[in-house]
Amino acid sequence: MRKSVSALLAAACVAAASPAFAADIPAPVTKAPPAAVVAYNWSGFYVGGHAGGGRQRNCEVSTRSIVGTGPSPGPPTTVTSSEGCHRDTDVVSGGQVGVNWQSGSLVLGAEASGSWANLKGSSVSEGFPLFTNETRTDAIGLFTGRLGVAWDNALLYVKGGAARTHNKYTAFPTASLAASTSTSDSRWGWTAGGGFEYGFAPNWSAALEYDFIDTGTRSEVFPAGLVCGTAPCTSLIDQYIHMVTLRLNYRFASWTAWR
């Protein structure tokens, strides 16, 4: 009987001591799982601004009617002559709006941009040295598609599409601006280029971009007067522009945020 009572007392002591003993055992330490790395997402609409420089070249070939001289002047003679080329480099600035769609590392997009410019160059006519020709371009619009490859927040892209420029052409006697004659146009052409864009914040990115613009050759008619003579004269004027800009874009919520 005494042995049974002793056994019961020993078991009770062990049971009473077990919670205190378990409390002294340190709990296992578990580490929180690492935070998931979110890849930079280029998808979504964006707006931005740009500033940089442009270099323009214009070459002209003119056609004029020259009236014969003397007591019995004959019919007007048509004279075609090269006017030469002139170039100018100046500042451009403006804004852009576009949209991107990303699938894996491939980024597709479309963009429209407008730039204000003051690309104004002039040169003395090669065929008629008494006169000077001047071209001024004050607006450039680009409507392009974009194709890029992204490495997280870095994007290398090419672009191409349509271009539109607004231009004013002036001819005047080299010795005097007062007797100038002018005409203007808005002409379409094509553009191609590319750039590198870097996302420095979730919705902000900066880019360095180059664009080549070619609007071809167009016939411009100048009114009759001191420069052209008794009849209007015509000049075939070609145009191309190199443009380099720094760009800052703000991108709105990506497609994934709208699903």
Side-chain angles (χ1 to χ4, degrees):
M1 183 66 179
R2 290 181 178 177
K3 292 182 178 180
S4 299
V5 173
S6 299
L8 290 174
L9 291 175
C13 291
V14 171
S18 294
F21 179 75
D24 293 336
I25 300 176
V29 178
T30 58
K31 294 183 178 180
V37 177
V38 179
Y40 197 86
N41 192 342
W42 289 96
S43 296
F45 291 97
Y46 63 88
V47 296
H50 62 263
R55 181 168 176 80
Q56 176 176 241
R57 190 209 70 171
N58 298 96
C59 295
E60 299 186 30
V61 176
S62 69
T63 300
R64 307 185 186 204
S65 295
I66 306 298
V67 179
T69 59
S72 300
T77 302
T78 300
V79 177
T80 299
S81 174
S82 171
E83 297 283 307
C85 301
H86 45 264
R87 298 169 176 81
D88 180 55
T89 302
D90 214 318
V91 174
V92 298
S93 62
Q96 64 271 356
V97 58
V99 60
N100 287 326
W101 178 79
Q102 182 173 359
S103 177
S105 61
L106 185 66
V107 179
L108 302 176
E111 183 182 277
S113 68
S115 302
W116 294 269
N118 186 32
L119 299 174
K120 183 171 66 174
S122 62
S123 62
V124 175
S125 169
E126 294 178 355
F128 303 92
L130 294 179
F131 301 99
T132 295
N133 301 308
E134 179 184 272
T135 302
R136 179 185 178 188
T137 298
D138 57 14
I140 302 169
L142 304 180
F143 308 90
T144 58
R146 301 204 314 170
L147 172 63
V149 178
W151 294 269
D152 195 19
N153 59 334
L155 175 66
L156 186 66
Y157 63 90
V158 294
K159 61 186 297 188
R164 185 175 175 86
T165 62
H166 182 265
N167 315 279
K168 182 178 180 181
Y169 312 99
T170 304
F172 53 87
T174 303
S176 173
L177 293 174
S180 66
T181 182
S182 63
T183 186
S184 61
D185 71 8
S186 292
R187 55 167 72 185
W188 286 94
W190 61 272
T191 181
F196 175 76
E197 191 166 1
Y198 184 79
F200 59 87
N203 296 90
W204 290 92
S205 60
L208 176 65
E209 182 175 296
Y210 164 78
D211 297 290
F212 174 78
I213 300 162
D214 188 345
T215 60
T217 302
R218 182 164 173 169
S219 179
E220 306 294 339
V221 179
F222 293 85
L226 178 61
V227 175
C228 291
T230 58
C233 55
T234 302
S235 288
L236 293 175
I237 304 176
D238 69 7
Q239 178 188 61
Y240 70 69
I241 300 171
H242 299 277
M243 192 164 65
V244 177
T245 53
L246 286 171
R247 299 178 163 232
L248 180 66
N249 290 324
Y250 177 81
R251 190 174 56 264
F252 297 95
S254 66
W255 304 124
T256 55
W258 298 343
R259 294 174 181 172

PDB file of all heavy atoms in Angstrom, residues 12 17 36 54 63 71 92 113 118 121 132 178 183 191 207 249 254 258:
ATOM      1  N   ALA A  12       2.433  12.628  -9.437  1.00  0.00           N
ATOM      2  CA  ALA A  12       1.832  13.963  -9.290  1.00  0.00           C
ATOM      3  C   ALA A  12       2.902  15.045  -9.328  1.00  0.00           C
ATOM      4  O   ALA A  12       2.710  16.123  -9.888  1.00  0.00           O
ATOM      5  CB  ALA A  12       1.038  14.024  -7.978  1.00  0.00           C
ATOM      6  N   ALA A  17       5.516  19.532 -12.260  1.00  0.00           N
ATOM      7  CA  ALA A  17       6.760  20.178 -12.677  1.00  0.00           C
ATOM      8  C   ALA A  17       6.889  20.314 -14.190  1.00  0.00           C
ATOM      9  O   ALA A  17       7.657  21.123 -14.685  1.00  0.00           O
ATOM     10  CB  ALA A  17       7.962  19.393 -12.115  1.00  0.00           C
ATOM     11  N   ALA A  36       8.893  39.550 -51.781  1.00  0.00           N
ATOM     12  CA  ALA A  36       8.952  39.263 -53.207  1.00  0.00           C
ATOM     13  C   ALA A  36       9.482  40.478 -53.968  1.00  0.00           C
ATOM     14  O   ALA A  36       9.131  41.616 -53.677  1.00  0.00           O
ATOM     15  CB  ALA A  36       7.562  38.900 -53.728  1.00  0.00           C
ATOM     16  N   GLY A  54      18.308  70.522 -82.249  1.00  0.00           N
ATOM     17  CA  GLY A  54      18.070  69.997 -83.587  1.00  0.00           C
ATOM     18  C   GLY A  54      19.012  70.641 -84.584  1.00  0.00           C
ATOM     19  O   GLY A  54      19.450  71.781 -84.401  1.00  0.00           O
ATOM     20  N   THR A  63      13.578  77.797-110.184  1.00  0.00           N
ATOM     21  CA  THR A  63      13.234  77.995-111.593  1.00  0.00           C
ATOM     22  C   THR A  63      12.618  79.384-111.740  1.00  0.00           C
ATOM     23  O   THR A  63      11.632  79.705-111.055  1.00  0.00           O
ATOM     24  CB  THR A  63      12.233  76.935-112.080  1.00  0.00           C
ATOM     25  OG1 THR A  63      12.808  75.637-111.917  1.00  0.00           O
ATOM     26  CG2 THR A  63      11.891  77.153-113.547  1.00  0.00           C
ATOM     27  N   PRO A  71      15.842  96.382-127.548  1.00  0.00           N
ATOM     28  CA  PRO A  71      14.722  97.100-128.180  1.00  0.00           C
ATOM     29  C   PRO A  71      13.559  96.179-128.533  1.00  0.00           C
ATOM     30  O   PRO A  71      12.420  96.597-128.550  1.00  0.00           O
ATOM     31  CB  PRO A  71      15.366  97.725-129.431  1.00  0.00           C
ATOM     32  CG  PRO A  71      16.588  96.926-129.676  1.00  0.00           C
ATOM     33  CD  PRO A  71      17.083  96.482-128.336  1.00  0.00           C
ATOM     34  N   VAL A  92      15.324  72.838 -79.267  1.00  0.00           N
ATOM     35  CA  VAL A  92      13.943  72.386 -79.440  1.00  0.00           C
ATOM     36  C   VAL A  92      13.412  71.978 -78.071  1.00  0.00           C
ATOM     37  O   VAL A  92      14.169  71.548 -77.194  1.00  0.00           O
ATOM     38  CB  VAL A  92      13.825  71.212 -80.429  1.00  0.00           C
ATOM     39  CG1 VAL A  92      14.290  71.621 -81.813  1.00  0.00           C
ATOM     40  CG2 VAL A  92      14.622  70.002 -79.942  1.00  0.00           C
ATOM     41  N   SER A 113       4.311  63.289 -80.252  1.00  0.00           N
ATOM     42  CA  SER A 113       5.076  64.360 -79.614  1.00  0.00           C
ATOM     43  C   SER A 113       5.029  65.612 -80.473  1.00  0.00           C
ATOM     44  O   SER A 113       4.891  65.552 -81.702  1.00  0.00           O
ATOM     45  CB  SER A 113       6.533  63.935 -79.381  1.00  0.00           C
ATOM     46  OG  SER A 113       7.218  63.782 -80.610  1.00  0.00           O
ATOM     47  N   ASN A 118      13.245  76.769 -83.366  1.00  0.00           N
ATOM     48  CA  ASN A 118      13.630  77.993 -84.063  1.00  0.00           C
ATOM     49  C   ASN A 118      14.833  77.672 -84.943  1.00  0.00           C
ATOM     50  O   ASN A 118      15.895  78.285 -84.829  1.00  0.00           O
ATOM     51  CB  ASN A 118      13.944  79.118 -83.080  1.00  0.00           C
ATOM     52  CG  ASN A 118      14.198  80.445 -83.786  1.00  0.00           C
ATOM     53  OD1 ASN A 118      13.625  80.715 -84.831  1.00  0.00           O
ATOM     54  ND2 ASN A 118      15.073  81.266 -83.217  1.00  0.00           N
ATOM     55  N   GLY A 121      18.098  78.874 -90.871  1.00  0.00           N
ATOM     56  CA  GLY A 121      19.372  78.946 -91.562  1.00  0.00           C
ATOM     57  C   GLY A 121      19.239  79.705 -92.864  1.00  0.00           C
ATOM     58  O   GLY A 121      18.156  79.772 -93.460  1.00  0.00           O
ATOM     59  N   THR A 132      19.625  86.163-101.119  1.00  0.00           N
ATOM     60  CA  THR A 132      19.877  85.227-100.011  1.00  0.00           C
ATOM     61  C   THR A 132      18.593  84.446 -99.723  1.00  0.00           C
ATOM     62  O   THR A 132      17.493  85.016 -99.734  1.00  0.00           O
ATOM     63  CB  THR A 132      20.327  85.973 -98.744  1.00  0.00           C
ATOM     64  OG1 THR A 132      21.594  86.592 -98.995  1.00  0.00           O
ATOM     65  CG2 THR A 132      20.451  85.032 -97.555  1.00  0.00           C
ATOM     66  N   ALA A 178      14.360  94.551 -96.612  1.00  0.00           N
ATOM     67  CA  ALA A 178      13.064  95.228 -96.779  1.00  0.00           C
ATOM     68  C   ALA A 178      12.276  94.672 -97.965  1.00  0.00           C
ATOM     69  O   ALA A 178      11.048  94.706 -97.964  1.00  0.00           O
ATOM     70  CB  ALA A 178      13.275  96.725 -96.948  1.00  0.00           C
ATOM     71  N   THR A 183       7.097  82.439 -98.486  1.00  0.00           N
ATOM     72  CA  THR A 183       5.991  81.501 -98.553  1.00  0.00           C
ATOM     73  C   THR A 183       6.173  80.511 -97.409  1.00  0.00           C
ATOM     74  O   THR A 183       7.238  80.464 -96.777  1.00  0.00           O
ATOM     75  CB  THR A 183       5.956  80.774 -99.906  1.00  0.00           C
ATOM     76  OG1 THR A 183       4.769  79.969 -99.996  1.00  0.00           O
ATOM     77  CG2 THR A 183       7.171  79.871-100.074  1.00  0.00           C
ATOM     78  N   THR A 191      10.019  59.517 -90.031  1.00  0.00           N
ATOM     79  CA  THR A 191      11.022  59.644 -88.980  1.00  0.00           C
ATOM     80  C   THR A 191      11.419  58.271 -88.462  1.00  0.00           C
ATOM     81  O   THR A 191      10.621  57.323 -88.495  1.00  0.00           O
ATOM     82  CB  THR A 191      10.499  60.501 -87.808  1.00  0.00           C
ATOM     83  OG1 THR A 191      11.516  60.618 -86.801  1.00  0.00           O
ATOM     84  CG2 THR A 191       9.273  59.884 -87.176  1.00  0.00           C
ATOM     85  N   ALA A 207      14.760  59.623 -70.306  1.00  0.00           N
ATOM     86  CA  ALA A 207      15.265  59.011 -71.532  1.00  0.00           C
ATOM     87  C   ALA A 207      16.141  59.981 -72.306  1.00  0.00           C
ATOM     88  O   ALA A 207      15.970  61.201 -72.231  1.00  0.00           O
ATOM     89  CB  ALA A 207      14.099  58.543 -72.403  1.00  0.00           C
ATOM     90  N   ASN A 249       9.297  61.393 -68.278  1.00  0.00           N
ATOM     91  CA  ASN A 249       7.944  60.854 -68.416  1.00  0.00           C
ATOM     92  C   ASN A 249       7.356  60.471 -67.067  1.00  0.00           C
ATOM     93  O   ASN A 249       8.077  59.966 -66.180  1.00  0.00           O
ATOM     94  CB  ASN A 249       7.940  59.608 -69.312  1.00  0.00           C
ATOM     95  CG  ASN A 249       8.228  59.937 -70.766  1.00  0.00           C
ATOM     96  OD1 ASN A 249       7.811  60.976 -71.273  1.00  0.00           O
ATOM     97  ND2 ASN A 249       8.952  59.051 -71.437  1.00  0.00           N
ATOM     98  N   SER A 254      -0.328  50.954 -64.269  1.00  0.00           N
ATOM     99  CA  SER A 254      -0.116  49.975 -65.327  1.00  0.00           C
ATOM    100  C   SER A 254      -1.379  49.161 -65.554  1.00  0.00           C
ATOM    101  O   SER A 254      -2.329  49.192 -64.775  1.00  0.00           O
ATOM    102  CB  SER A 254       1.044  49.042 -64.959  1.00  0.00           C
ATOM    103  OG  SER A 254       0.694  48.263 -63.838  1.00  0.00           O
ATOM    104  N   TRP A 258      -5.294  47.605 -63.213  1.00  0.00           N
ATOM    105  CA  TRP A 258      -6.690  47.794 -63.583  1.00  0.00           C
ATOM    106  C   TRP A 258      -7.452  46.473 -63.695  1.00  0.00           C
ATOM    107  O   TRP A 258      -8.635  46.457 -63.943  1.00  0.00           O
ATOM    108  CB  TRP A 258      -6.759  48.518 -64.948  1.00  0.00           C
ATOM    109  CG  TRP A 258      -6.139  49.870 -64.913  1.00  0.00           C
ATOM    110  CD1 TRP A 258      -5.835  50.619 -63.806  1.00  0.00           C
ATOM    111  CD2 TRP A 258      -5.701  50.622 -66.037  1.00  0.00           C
ATOM    112  NE1 TRP A 258      -5.249  51.779 -64.164  1.00  0.00           N
ATOM    113  CE2 TRP A 258      -5.146  51.829 -65.530  1.00  0.00           C
ATOM    114  CE3 TRP A 258      -5.716  50.422 -67.410  1.00  0.00           C
ATOM    115  CZ2 TRP A 258      -4.618  52.805 -66.364  1.00  0.00           C
ATOM    116  CZ3 TRP A 258      -5.200  51.400 -68.227  1.00  0.00           C
ATOM    117  CH2 TRP A 258      -4.667  52.568 -67.710  1.00  0.00           C
TER     118      TRP A 258
END
